[in-house]
Structures are given as C-alpha cells and as structure tokens.
Amino acid sequence: MEFGVYTFGDLVTDPHTGTTISAHTRMLQVLDLARKAEASGLDVIGVGEHHGEEFVNSATAIMLTAMASVTSSIRLTSAATLLSTADPVRTYQEFATADLISNGRIELMFGRGAYTDNFPLFGYELTDYDALFLEKLHLFQLLNSQDRVSWSGQFRPPLVDAPIAPRALQPQLPVCIGAVSPASVKRTAEMGYPISIPVLDGKLETYVELATIYKETWRTCGYNETEESISFYGHMYLSEKLEDTYSSFFPNYQNYRLPWTKNRLSRIEFDRLIAPDGALLVGTPEMVAEKISYLRLQTGAKRFVGQIDIGAQTEQIVHRSVELLGTNVRALVNEKCRF
Amino acid sequence: MEFGVYTFGDLVTDPHTGTTISAHTRMLQVLDLARKAEASGLDVIGVGEHHGEEFVNSATAIMLTAMASVTSSIRLTSAATLLSTADPVRTYQEFATADLISNGRIELMFGRGAYTDNFPLFGYELTDYDALFLEKLHLFQLLNSQDRVSWSGQFRPPLVDAPIAPRALQPQLPVCIGAVSPASVKRTAEMGYPISIPVLDGKLETYVELATIYKETWRTCGYNETEESISFYGHMYLSEKLEDTYSSFFPNYQNYRLPWTKNRLSRIEFDRLIAPDGALLVGTPEMVAEKISYLRLQTGAKRFVGQIDIGAQTEQIVHRSVELLGTNVRALVNEKCRF
C-alpha cells in the first residue's frame, strides 16, 4: 500500500498562541513538509486548491513544481484541481511543465473541493457544476492523449487542430477523480477513472460502502478488475501518547474545521470521530493503522493520503506525525494486511 | 547597470548535428542556465511565453518557480507574459505564489509576443488586441494593489469584493511593459509604466529614438524623472574569437530566426546586424560592450538582458557567453559609462 500526505496550506490561527503565521512562512512550511515526507519514505505528497484568504495555495502546479525542486523521488499530486472553473488547456500546460521539471512525477486529481469561492471568482454558475465538470474532463482527456486537438463545447472557445505544448514527460499524466457522494462515486466508476475518496466525517463503514459502489459499478461496466483503483484521503494526526490528541491536536482541529463546518467541533463529536468506528484518522499509530487496515482489507485500496499539517500545528509536531505515518503506521498496516 | 539573460526554451534543430533535443532535456538546460546566470553574477533571468511546439515554455510562473528553487538571489522575470489572452486573476495568483516561493524575487513584463498562437488557442480575436491589453493591464494593477477587488469589464466576468490570494511577498509585483512600435512606446510612457524595448533588427540608433520617445513622453506627462525606467532586451552571443561568430553561432541563428522571419537570414544581412551600427548584440565582448554602452549613454537604460541560449547551441557554448556577459562585458560597460 502507498502512503502519503497532502496539504491545503491553511492559514489558521494557532489556538495555543493566538497568532497566525504569514503566507510566506506557510509556503516555506509546505516545502519543508515535502522534504520531510520524502525523507520519511512516503510515496506521494498532494496539494489542494483554494481561492480564499484562509489558504496559501491557489496555484497548485506551481507549488508542486517547488516541491519537485526540493525532492527527488516522491510523487506529486493535486488534491484536488478544481477543473470546473479552470481552462483545461492551461491546466494541461501547467501540469505538463511541472511533469518535465519533476522528471515525470506529476499526477492530477479532479474534484469539486469543499469550498465554492472559485465559482464567483472565475465567473461560473454553481448550478452548471456537473455540466462544467463533465465537459472539461472530456477535453482534458483529449489534451492529455493528443499532441494536437480539435474540439468544441459549451464552456470554452473551440480548438481547431491546436498544438498543445509542452507535452508531459509521462506518456499521459495520471488522472483520478475525487468523489464522495454515492452518485458521483458511481459516475466515476462508469467513466473508468481511478477514484479518491475523502474520509472526513461520520462512520468509517460509510466509506467502505462507497468503495463497494465503485467496485460493483466498475465490474458491471466490464472494466478490467486489475485496473480498478481506490485511494482514501483524510485528516490525520499521529502521536505515541493518546493524551496529546486531546491537549495538543484537538484545539488546532477545532480551529481548522470552523470555516468548513460552521459549528465548533465539540469534544463529544471529536470522541465519536476518533473512536474505532469513526472516520477520523487521529490517535496513536496503532489506532490509525487499525482503521487504514480495515479500509484496505475491505476495499483493496491502493493508497492512503493524510492531511497532517492542519490547524496551525507547529512544524515539529507535524513532522513527528509524518515520521510515524512513514514508519510505524506503514509497518503495522503491512503486517495486518500482508498483501 | 544591471545585466541578465532571458530564454524562450526554443526547440530548434541543431544545424551542426541535425538533431533536436527533447522538451525534457531543454527544460533541464533552462534550469542549468538559471544556475549559471546566478553563478556568473548576473542580476536577472527572464522567461518568455509561447504556445507552439517550437518552444518548451507556455507556463512562465512555473518555470520561474523552478528557477527560483535552484538559485538564491538572482531576480526572475517573465519576458513577456501574454496578458491579453490570460486571466489576470490567475496571472496574479501564479506570480504571487512564485514570489512567495522565491522570497520576493519575481517581476513581470507584459507584452504582445512575437507570435500570435495564443489568440486562437484561448479563443480571442487578434483585432481586439489593444482593447484586451488595456483592460487586462488595468485589472492587473487593481489585483496587484488590493487584497479584495471589485471590477467589471468587457473580456472577463466581474469581480465583487473578491479576495485575491495568496498575496505576493513584495508589496506589489514589479511590472514593466514590453513595447517596440513608436505608438506603444509612447502609450507605455503615458501610462507611467517602466518599459522594456526588444532590440532585434535594423539599426541600433532606432532603439535610441524609441527610448527618446519614451523619455520625452514621460516628462511631458509630468512623471518623476528618477522613476523613468528603460530596459533593453536582445539576441546575444559572445565569444573571444570573432570567427566563432560565423562558424559556430551563425548557422544556429539562421535556424532560430527562420520560423519568426520566414526568410533564411543571409550572411550579408547578418554582417549588417553585427556591424557597429547594427542592432544585434553578437560578437566579441568588446564589440557588444560598445553597443550596450552606446545604448546606456544615449538613453540612461538601467538594464540589458540578452537571449543567449538560442538556436540549439550546446550548453558549453551558451554558458561561455553567459560568463563573458557577467564578467568582460559588464566590466567594459561599467568602464565606458562610469555612472
């Protein structure tokens, strides 16, 4: 199984100190995270796209390029790219450029994202979301597989035998789709794309059910079972001592979730989420490895990627979580799963 | 005076070997050029934007970010960014991100570019060039100076108190305009922008005349003379032995110019261009320093930037030119100008 981390470069106020670091310091932290992830033996690092003041990244291919420049082998993925409000031509050009610079380590995840700031910013209607996503996904597939593209559609000017340059180093940039509603999970399988499922709330078994929908649809459609591909993404914190989860992480996580869920996370809800059947990958390496092993054994998932640098935790604490993921959690999962 | 180099990452066939290197190899060469430029004491490196198969760069902020990651002090500029066919919001976000990563070393040049592939590719009409450029330049100025922007125009959906993030590390990203027709030079001065003049063809004195138009307009408009800012950009090759200019560089330069001028450059034309009154900055350090000193003394130009890695020359030859620019040419110009 592959393990990784992803970041949104969130700019949250640290509840322990009351301070908020600058976008510049946060950017340097994110590059440190990439170095640390590679040094800890992780397989992949991801970056999410946001367009508000609470996050430092709105230009994912640039951050992945910077990460590529301070690492040598870790794979680099968007998590996710908000394709619906982007121009797929620019998106291909940008990630192909990053692929050349990184010696072929780039991947893309396309998805809707947790926020919708990008719709008004780029002049799109949220009601067009599905039509935008499907049209642009199809166009990206053409751009990704042909040096010259002819195409016309509803949301972008047509292309007439247009050269698309530069070409990526990889024959095609690997693409997966981030999806979490049963309908979008099913559609992802129907279209034959690898899936990344965000595991963020509620019960863990819900995500096994989603993966089951994906797998059943994949088989119904007659796709090759060996090409089926499921990844899980989720908030993560690791510490040898369980009490640190409450004293150190919990206040950070409350601050992180506030703009997203609008309600302040209570201790009771937090306890439900970190319980053995809860969806939050937070606690000791043993607790978290148990959950990842469950997901792996139930679904055959190939990759787990944790958002580990959230809520203004110190770099020291974040890097310790990264180390525990790369060593203890990986070893425990490999032992439990043995396949 | 500041000295620098710029590159388009051209993918020209080497006339000496008949081979064309891959986009991947060219990308690595461009990063080597950035390292070499900084090591040779140059002040700035620039990257041009193109959208055809003959060039490796269509995503300038990404290449500048990669260059930032392998250098520590050299300034990094677009040369130029094709703003007319871009979304200024994305452009600001991308270069602000690069500015954070490079610790505040990013600059932008906006211009039309020598090719027009970008117009059909992004669905714009070349006949709208001026209207596009002026509207987007104005919007960029707002984005560059305000954290939240309200705006409406003809060529992009409106912005309503939109947060523009992340913010650059520099208080504002430095912006200049590339211009070479008398009308666009005059307009640049009227708008109060620094100017970059490409010195590519004909007689050197033509470019002094253009700079004079800029300076006179600047003063007529009542702008502060100390803020007047002229840079020159041009094709460049340097070698201690003049015969190398003919045996080594000339065939490369013929290949490089072909798609741009459509006619194969003759030896007679080449001789005219490298003559003391010709516009080409090619020859021995003494010949080239004489021309740069002339431009500097006649116009007070603050920066000269040479496109030195053109036409599939070997890295060894390119790097020798870079060294000669950073050492011999700089020393000769400083001696001749003494101000």
Side-chain angles (χ1 to χ4, degrees), chain A residues 88-276:
Chain A
V89 172
R90 293 274 188 192
T91 303
Y92 180 80
Q93 290 179 324
E94 290 165 7
F95 284 84
T97 302
D99 198 52
L100 291 170
I101 292 167
S102 70
N103 299 314
R105 292 188 277 145
I106 294 290
E107 302 180 12
L108 286 117
M109 184 200 302
F110 292 137
R112 179 167 174 161
Y115 297 79
T116 55
D117 314 14
N118 50 317
F119 281 82
L121 186 63
F122 299 116
Y124 293 100
E125 297 295 330
L126 203 50
T127 48
D128 287 333
Y129 177 77
D130 274 336
L132 281 164
F133 187 73
L134 293 177
E135 176 173 308
K136 294 190 175 190
L137 186 66
H138 174 64
L139 174 54
F140 191 89
Q141 196 274 325
L142 293 179
L143 299 163
N144 198 12
S145 54
Q146 303 174 7
D147 293 358
R148 288 184 164 260
V149 173
S150 293
W151 172 92
S152 70
Q154 187 185 349
F155 296 108
R156 192 219 183 269
L159 297 169
V160 183
D161 194 30
I164 306 301
R167 303 306 304 171
L169 182 59
Q170 297 174 87
Q172 290 199 23
L173 294 169
V175 171
C176 74
I177 292 177
V180 71
S181 76
S184 58
V185 167
K186 187 161 184 289
R187 190 175 68 185
T188 301
E190 285 168 351
M191 296 190 294
Y193 278 91
I195 197 166
S196 292
I197 302 177
V199 179
L200 297 175
D201 234 329
K203 300 284 185 197
L204 211 51
E205 65 183 5
T206 305
Y207 302 92
V208 172
E209 288 161 12
L210 288 170
T212 304
I213 292 172
Y214 177 83
K215 291 155 68 87
E216 285 177 0
T217 310
W218 186 270
R219 283 155 212 208
T220 305
C221 292
Y223 294 122
N224 190 334
E225 284 184 33
T226 61
E227 289 171 14
E228 186 191 272
S229 173
I230 299 168
S231 300
F232 288 108
Y233 279 65
H235 298 156
M236 175 172 256
Y237 166 82
L238 294 161
S239 171
E240 286 99 333
K241 290 188 258 169
L242 183 58
E243 56 262 40
D244 293 343
T245 302
Y246 296 103
S247 60
S248 171
F249 179 70
F250 178 55
N252 293 99
Y253 194 54
Q254 282 183 307
N255 274 16
Y256 179 76
R257 280 176 68 114
L258 196 54
W260 167 48
T261 58
K262 307 299 176 200
N263 293 313
R264 195 157 188 83
L265 183 72
S266 71
R267 173 66 189 261
I268 292 169
E269 290 170 283
F270 183 67
D271 273 331
R272 253 187 231 131
L273 283 169
I274 69 171

Side-chain angles (χ1 to χ4, degrees), chain B residues 145-162:
Chain B
S145 54
Q146 303 174 7
D147 293 358
R148 288 182 164 261
V149 174
S150 293
W151 172 92
S152 71
Q154 188 184 348
F155 297 107
R156 194 219 181 271
L159 297 169
V160 182
D161 194 30

Side-chain angles (χ1 to χ4, degrees), chain A residues 280-295:
Chain A
L280 199 55
L281 286 296
V282 162
T284 64
E286 292 72 21
M287 287 165 65
V288 170
E290 197 67 46
K291 292 185 180 187
I292 296 176
S293 301
Y294 167 75
L295 289 171

Side-chain angles (χ1 to χ4, degrees), chain A residues 313-332:
Chain A
Q313 298 174 82
T314 65
E315 278 205 285
Q316 192 187 357
I317 291 172
V318 168
H319 287 195
R320 183 63 187 145
S321 274
V322 173
E323 278 171 19
L324 290 171
L325 176 61
T327 54
N328 303 33
V329 172
R330 184 196 284 271
L332 287 164

